[in-house]
Amino acid sequence: MFDVCKPWIILVSVRVRISSSVAAELAHYLDVLRRQAGNTTLKMPAVKEVSNVPAGMDIPVIFLDSADYRYEYNGYSWRIGSDRVEIYGESRRGLCNGVFDFLANLGIQWDDPDKEILPKPQADRTGIYSVDSLSAYCPSSEHISRRRALVIKSKLSIKKQEKLLCWAVRNKIDTVIFSLYYAHKALRCKKNPLPFFFKKVIRLAEEYAFIIEWGGWDMPILIPRRYYLFKPDMFRMDQGKRIKDCNFCPSSPEAIALISKRAQKLLRIFPNVEVYHIWADQGHERNWCSCPSCRAFSIEEQNRIACITVSDVLSDVNPRAHLCYIETSNEQHNIELRPNMVKLTHFPSKVGADLWLLTD
């Protein structure tokens, strides 16, 4: 049992550096459960650093703590006592997972970004909520065994992106993949800043301690359709005609040179990112070129040529980073991969409106 109507305060370890957003959400949901139970007299639980609380105070506390490992260590543990709840993460990312796993244990569900499902308190005891367990432990390793990544597509409104990030952290998703669309927009500014409104989204992702990666269905950004008017040979051929509907001609030296040039600029905007994703146009992953030169290559090989072009640039710009590409076939191909390339065997799955998850 857990009594939300006790005068809880949330204490944060001085070494945590937890975001105010996560602690504030914990306080918010405790307040929501209190009001649902009919208690409107208590204020929302305060969030304080341990160093700011006098020793020996006899008050119910929820203590948040974490180690300072990399975010790939996403493990956590928590336990419920009569007047003390302890939530611990192996990293800030693990602590976020622990906080929302604790709230899920109280019965809160976030199946949809636009709504939440709240539990009902016990009818005979106001403020008392049933819990599935009084403790939990979820270990992690340096490499998450089954990672889930939220894919944020280009041109979504900032409000929608923030809503998706909130849904993802509540459902213990560790990674978010942002489209290079806004980096592309930044290249058109003289001072090369990201749009100020998009910086707000990045800050929220950092507060939630997400592992941030960049890319997605961004092949069109590397070879814009406006070049078709002047250089139609850079674009794919279909039934003997050059068309600009999707992808490009990977045997075109001019197309490869343009992709390399644009990738150089885009990848330098985020020098500390360790994983990028380059995927063909969404819905057109198998629509490649049929010109005389490209006929010698399979669809998968043409896609590899495109991704290798970017991976070669990435190895110069950021030797520590990897490029993820998608190839659903297990056939052998003559185009050798680069050491910094990682193969994904399936595309992201749509699980809701504008909601795409990549699982590996």
Side-chain angles (χ1 to χ4, degrees), residues 151-154 177-181 213-222 275-282 307 323-326 348 358:
V151 182
I152 295 186
K153 297 178 64 179
S154 63
I177 303 172
F178 286 107
S179 171
L180 288 167
Y181 170 76
E213 300 174 356
W214 286 88
W217 291 286
D218 285 341
M219 199 78 77
I221 294 174
L222 297 175
V275 180
Y276 288 87
H277 299 259
I278 294 295
W279 311 330
D281 289 17
Q282 187 178 17
C307 295
L323 182 80
C324 291
Y325 77 105
I326 297 177
L358 177 64

Side-chain angles (χ1 to χ4, degrees), residues 33-307:
L33 294 181
R34 280 176 178 172
R35 294 179 180 278
Q36 180 179 260
N39 189 315
T40 58
T41 58
L42 286 174
K43 295 182 179 180
M44 183 181 297
V47 179
K48 300 181 179 181
E49 281 195 358
V50 172
S51 59
N52 296 330
V53 178
M57 288 187 65
D58 187 19
I59 51 176
V61 300
I62 300 176
F63 182 60
L64 307 181
D65 194 9
S66 81
D68 201 23
Y69 292 120
R70 290 167 52 91
Y71 292 171
E72 284 79 2
Y73 289 89
N74 65 339
Y76 58 87
S77 62
W78 54 260
R79 60 181 180 178
I80 300 174
S82 59
D83 287 321
R84 185 178 177 89
V85 176
E86 296 178 353
I87 306 176
Y88 174 81
E90 294 185 12
S91 66
R92 289 181 62 219
R93 171 97 296 274
L95 181 56
C96 290
N97 287 340
V99 167
F100 288 101
D101 189 73
F102 166 71
L103 289 173
N105 185 67
L106 298 182
I108 306 174
Q109 300 176 46
W110 301 274
D111 295 333
D112 187 281
D114 294 314
K115 63 181 179 182
E116 59 196 13
I117 300 175
L118 298 176
K120 298 295 183 182
Q122 286 190 337
D124 57 337
R125 300 182 67 186
T126 301
I128 303 295
Y129 286 80
S130 298
V131 293
D132 295 332
S133 175
L134 294 178
S135 65
Y137 171 62
C138 180
S140 68
S141 62
E142 184 176 1
H143 300 288
I144 299 169
S145 59
R146 187 168 178 79
R147 186 189 64 164
R148 295 183 301 159
L150 171 69
V151 182
I152 295 186
K153 297 178 64 179
S154 63
K155 302 181 182 180
L156 288 180
S157 69
I158 297 303
K159 183 177 181 180
K160 182 66 175 181
Q161 293 185 50
E162 292 176 339
K163 187 177 293 186
L164 292 179
L165 289 178
C166 291
W167 176 88
V169 73
R170 293 165 181 170
N171 284 275
K172 297 180 289 183
I173 292 171
D174 296 303
T175 304
V176 59
I177 303 172
F178 286 107
S179 171
L180 288 167
Y181 170 76
Y182 286 103
H184 157 68
K185 297 285 285 185
L187 289 178
R188 305 179 72 174
C189 301
K190 291 184 178 180
K191 296 183 180 180
N192 208 33
L194 286 174
F196 75 93
F197 50 84
F198 187 64
K199 288 183 179 179
K200 181 181 178 183
V201 177
I202 298 299
R203 282 195 298 269
L204 181 60
E206 291 173 343
E207 286 184 5
Y208 282 146
F210 282 115
I211 300 169
I212 297 177
E213 300 174 356
W214 286 88
W217 291 286
D218 285 341
M219 199 78 77
I221 294 174
L222 297 175
I223 185 161
R225 302 291 178 255
R226 67 177 182 271
Y227 284 87
Y228 177 79
L229 181 62
F230 308 102
K231 301 286 185 180
D233 288 348
M234 293 196 302
F235 294 85
R236 77 184 190 98
M237 180 177 284
D238 184 31
Q239 297 182 358
K241 295 182 179 181
R242 296 286 180 177
I243 56 177
K244 62 176 182 177
D245 61 340
C246 61
N247 299 325
F248 62 98
C249 175
S251 63
S252 165
E254 289 182 307
I256 297 300
L258 177 62
I259 290 173
S260 297
K261 179 180 178 181
R262 291 179 64 80
Q264 280 274 358
K265 295 179 179 180
L266 286 169
L267 299 179
R268 291 186 186 279
I269 296 178
F270 311 106
N272 298 321
V273 174
E274 296 186 2
V275 180
Y276 288 87
H277 299 259
I278 294 295
W279 311 330
D281 289 17
Q282 187 178 17
H284 300 280
E285 291 85 359
R286 300 194 65 80
N287 295 336
W288 282 91
C289 187
S290 62
C291 74
S293 297
C294 287
R295 287 174 192 165
F297 303 107
S298 67
I299 292 171
E300 290 79 7
E301 288 173 333
Q302 291 189 48
N303 183 59
R304 283 192 178 194
I305 292 171
C307 295

